[in-house]
Amino acid sequence: MKPKKIIFSIILILLVTIGITFGIVHQNQVKAERIAQERRKTDDKNLKVATAAITTAYQTRADQAIKKAETALSKLSKHQKTNQTKLTTKLTQLKGFLKQISNVNDSLAKATQSKSEQDIKATQALINQETDDYLKTDQTTAQNKLNALIAQIAKEKAEAKSKSEAQAQQAVSEASQQADHTTEVSDYQTYVEAPQGAYQTSDRANSTLAPQQNYQTPAQNSDNNGNASGITDSPGGTDGYQPWGEWQSSNGNASGITDSPGCWDTPNNSGIVWDH
């Protein structure tokens, strides 16, 4: 075989070998690129899913949404380490926010139940720690609830104080009325019982002295006519005062008037019963 033919054959073999090798390398490169592209697509998709899950968790604050976000973060590849760390931090921050909200709500419920100054101060301190913009609405809501609780406690204390003062005033008034009533009853008993006793005594005295009330001792009177009987039309004014015993020895009349014409005032007329 001629040397030229041998050289040509060798060159041809080398070219074929190089071509095959190049083709294989190219194919591998194409395949690798395709795999890389698919991986990038998957990574991009997973990143979008994880990001959306974090957003949903922030919006809903639901436990299920948070678990879904954690699952999405776990699917991020090692090539997405930076994004994975960033989103994980954001999700951890959300959990911290929710813990703050829960602590405020629990403290507020405790303060509402106990209404103690200590629990109210503790709740206020927790509310003051809600400084992130994400918690702005929660802070305002919790503060309004706490303010309403403080106002309610103040109102209840004022009402209790007013009620206590009213009860004390009522007790004083009732005691005063009771004292006045006791005094009135005592005065009434004194008025009723004491006069009745005196009245009854007077009745007994009157019943004893009743027969004597028809008799009155003749008054010693000396009028212008100079008579003692007080009869102004007695003629001559000669009926001078005489003792009872001497009336029987006068001109036969019962009154003792000596100048009574005709002796008309007989013992029956004078109402004097004579002993025979």
Side-chain angles (χ1 to χ4, degrees), residues 86 141 150 158 214 265 267:
K86 182 180 179 180
T141 301
I150 293 173
N214 294 328
D265 51 344

Side-chain angles (χ1 to χ4, degrees), residues 61 101 104 127 130 134-143:
R61 300 177 177 179
I101 296 171
V104 169
I127 292 175
E130 294 180 318
Y134 178 73
L135 299 174
K136 199 67 177 177
T137 301
D138 300 278
Q139 184 185 41
T140 301
T141 301
Q143 188 65 62

Side-chain angles (χ1 to χ4, degrees), residues 113-125:
Q113 182 67 26
S114 67
K115 297 181 180 180
S116 68
E117 183 177 358
Q118 181 178 359
D119 290 339
I120 290 176
K121 288 183 178 180
T123 304
Q124 185 63 67

Side-chain angles (χ1 to χ4, degrees), residues 197-229:
Y199 177 76
Q200 291 173 0
T201 301
S202 177
D203 288 345
R204 289 194 296 270
N206 290 338
S207 65
T208 303
L209 299 176
Q212 300 179 4
Q213 290 179 353
N214 294 328
Y215 170 75
Q216 296 181 355
T217 304
Q220 296 181 6
N221 184 21
S222 177
D223 56 10
N224 293 331
N225 296 327
N227 55 19
S229 63

Side-chain angles (χ1 to χ4, degrees), residues 139-200:
Q139 184 185 41
T140 301
T141 301
Q143 188 65 62
N144 290 339
K145 290 182 178 179
L146 183 62
N147 292 342
L149 175 61
I150 293 173
Q152 179 183 355
I153 293 173
K155 180 180 179 181
E156 291 176 355
K157 287 183 177 180
E159 290 177 349
K161 182 179 179 181
S162 177
K163 183 177 180 181
S164 178
E165 291 176 351
Q167 290 177 345
Q169 183 67 27
Q170 183 178 2
V172 172
S173 177
E174 290 178 353
S176 177
Q177 291 177 359
Q178 183 64 28
D180 292 341
H181 178 68
T182 302
T183 302
E184 290 176 357
V185 170
S186 177
D187 292 344
Y188 177 76
Q189 291 176 347
T190 302
Y191 174 78
V192 171
E193 293 177 0
Q196 283 182 350
Y199 177 76
Q200 291 173 0

